[in-house]
Amino acid sequence: MPTKMAFFDIDKTITRHDSMLLFVKYGIAKKPKAMIHLFSIAWNLLLYKLRRIPADKAKQAFFHAIAYMDEADLEAFYDDILVKDMYQDAVAELKRKKAQGYHILLVTASPHAYMKYFTKLGCVDDVIGTRLEMRGGCYTRKIQGVNCKGEEKAVRIQEYLNRHQLAIDYEASCAYSDCMSDLPMFKLVGNGYLIHSNEGQSEGLEEKRWSS
C-alpha cells in the first residue's frame, strides 16, 4: 500500500541559515586550531566562483574542522546551534504532518554526520544527507560517493524507499524546499512547497513563507 511521504530540505527550509557556514563558525569556536583552514575555505570558494573547481570540491573545504570532532561535538552542534536556528513554523509543519500519518524524511546536501540528529525532534523518521569518509573512527572532510544535491536527492530517496519497501502515495505526498535545484525531489510528489524563495521561477509550486 502506498505511503504518504513528506520530504523536507533542511538548510534555509527548516533552518534560517546554511548549516555549512554555521558549522565553520562552530568549528573555530569549538576547535580554535581549525582556524588555520580559513584561507583554504576562502581560496576554494573563489576558485568555485571562477568556475575553476566543481562545487563538491569547494564544499569539502567547509568541513576541515570535523576531523577534530567526535560524536559528542557533532551532537552539540545540533543541540546548541541548529535547534536555535530552526523556523518554529517549519517545526510545527513537521509535527502536523507526522500527526496526519506522514512518513517524514529530511533530505539535505549537508553532511549526514551532523544532520542525522534532526531525528531528535521526534517527528522525523529519518535523514538522508551527504556522506563523509571516515578515517580512524573520525569523519574527514572528503565526500563519500556523490554530493546529495539535485538529481542525487531523488536517487537517494528511491534507494531509501527500496530499502524500506515503501512506495510513494503520489497524490497525497508533499515536498518542501527553498531551492529549485530540488526540482527532482519535487517531481516525486503531487504537492510541492517552495519556501522563502527569490528565484523567480516556481514551476507551478506553491510558495510558502514561515513567519517565525
Side-chain angles (χ1 to χ4, degrees), residues 1-7 102 161 167-175 183-192 203 205:
M1 181 177 178
T3 301
K4 292 191 300 183
M5 306 289 298
F7 304 130
Y102 282 78
L161 296 172
I168 299 173
D169 182 337
Y170 178 83
E171 294 299 332
S173 295
C174 52
L183 191 58
M185 181 172 76
F186 281 125
K187 288 182 176 180
L188 296 176
V189 298
N191 306 281
E203 298 284 341
L205 301 170

Side-chain angles (χ1 to χ4, degrees), residues 2-6 94-104 125:
T3 301
K4 292 191 300 183
M5 306 289 298
L94 284 164
K95 292 180 177 178
R96 184 161 43 248
K97 289 299 180 186
K98 189 61 182 174
Q100 293 170 349
Y102 282 78
H103 188 98
I104 309 295
D125 290 287

Side-chain angles (χ1 to χ4, degrees), residues 107-128:
V107 192
T108 176
S110 290
H112 181 264
Y114 59 73
M115 287 304 204
K116 64 188 177 188
Y117 291 108
F118 271 85
T119 56
K120 293 177 72 173
L121 284 171
C123 53
V124 173
D125 290 287
D126 217 333
V127 179
I128 293 173

Side-chain angles (χ1 to χ4, degrees), residues 16 37 81 180:
R16 299 173 186 274
H37 299 296
I81 307 298
M180 287 304 297

Side-chain angles (χ1 to χ4, degrees), residues 21-182:
L21 299 177
L22 296 176
F23 188 78
V24 170
K25 294 178 183 178
Y26 174 78
I28 291 171
K30 194 80 174 178
K31 309 290 181 181
K33 58 185 176 181
M35 190 177 293
I36 64 173
H37 299 296
L38 283 177
F39 176 77
S40 174
I41 294 171
W43 177 245
N44 278 272
L45 190 58
L46 175 62
L47 291 177
Y48 169 68
K49 288 185 178 295
L50 293 174
R51 300 183 180 181
R52 300 290 297 275
I53 61 173
D56 290 8
K57 185 172 182 179
K59 180 176 181 175
Q60 290 178 153
F62 284 81
F63 303 117
H64 278 289
I66 205 166
Y68 308 119
M69 296 183 186
D70 56 22
E71 284 295 339
D73 294 321
L74 297 175
E75 187 169 8
F77 175 59
Y78 170 82
D79 290 336
D80 299 339
I81 307 298
L82 294 180
V83 167
K84 297 173 184 176
D85 198 53
M86 292 182 205
Y87 286 108
Q88 291 309 300
D89 284 355
V91 175
E93 184 77 351
L94 284 164
K95 292 180 177 178
R96 184 161 43 248
K97 289 299 180 186
K98 189 61 182 174
Q100 293 170 349
Y102 282 78
H103 188 98
I104 309 295
L105 193 59
L106 308 190
V107 192
T108 176
S110 290
H112 181 264
Y114 59 73
M115 287 304 204
K116 64 188 177 188
Y117 291 108
F118 271 85
T119 56
K120 293 177 72 173
L121 284 171
C123 53
V124 173
D125 290 287
D126 217 333
V127 179
I128 293 173
T130 295
R131 303 183 187 96
L132 298 181
E133 292 182 3
M134 297 193 76
R135 187 177 301 133
C138 295
Y139 288 103
T140 74
R141 66 187 177 89
K142 293 187 177 297
I143 293 174
Q144 180 182 54
V146 181
N147 185 21
C148 188
K149 184 177 178 64
E151 189 63 45
E152 181 63 14
K153 284 193 177 185
V155 170
R156 298 280 296 280
I157 288 171
Q158 191 57 57
E159 289 175 350
Y160 178 90
L161 296 172
N162 293 343
R163 193 161 59 249
H164 294 274
Q165 297 183 320
L166 296 171
I168 299 173
D169 182 337
Y170 178 83
E171 294 299 332
S173 295
C174 52
Y176 301 73
S177 176
D178 70 299
C179 187
M180 287 304 297
S181 68
D182 281 336

Side-chain angles (χ1 to χ4, degrees), residues 183-211:
L183 191 58
M185 181 172 76
F186 281 125
K187 288 182 176 180
L188 296 176
V189 298
N191 306 281
Y193 301 95
L194 199 56
I195 309 299
H196 293 280
S197 177
N198 297 312
E199 296 188 14
Q201 293 182 329
S202 62
E203 298 284 341
L205 301 170
E206 182 177 337
E207 296 188 39
K208 185 184 287 286
R209 302 189 74 84
W210 310 129
S211 60

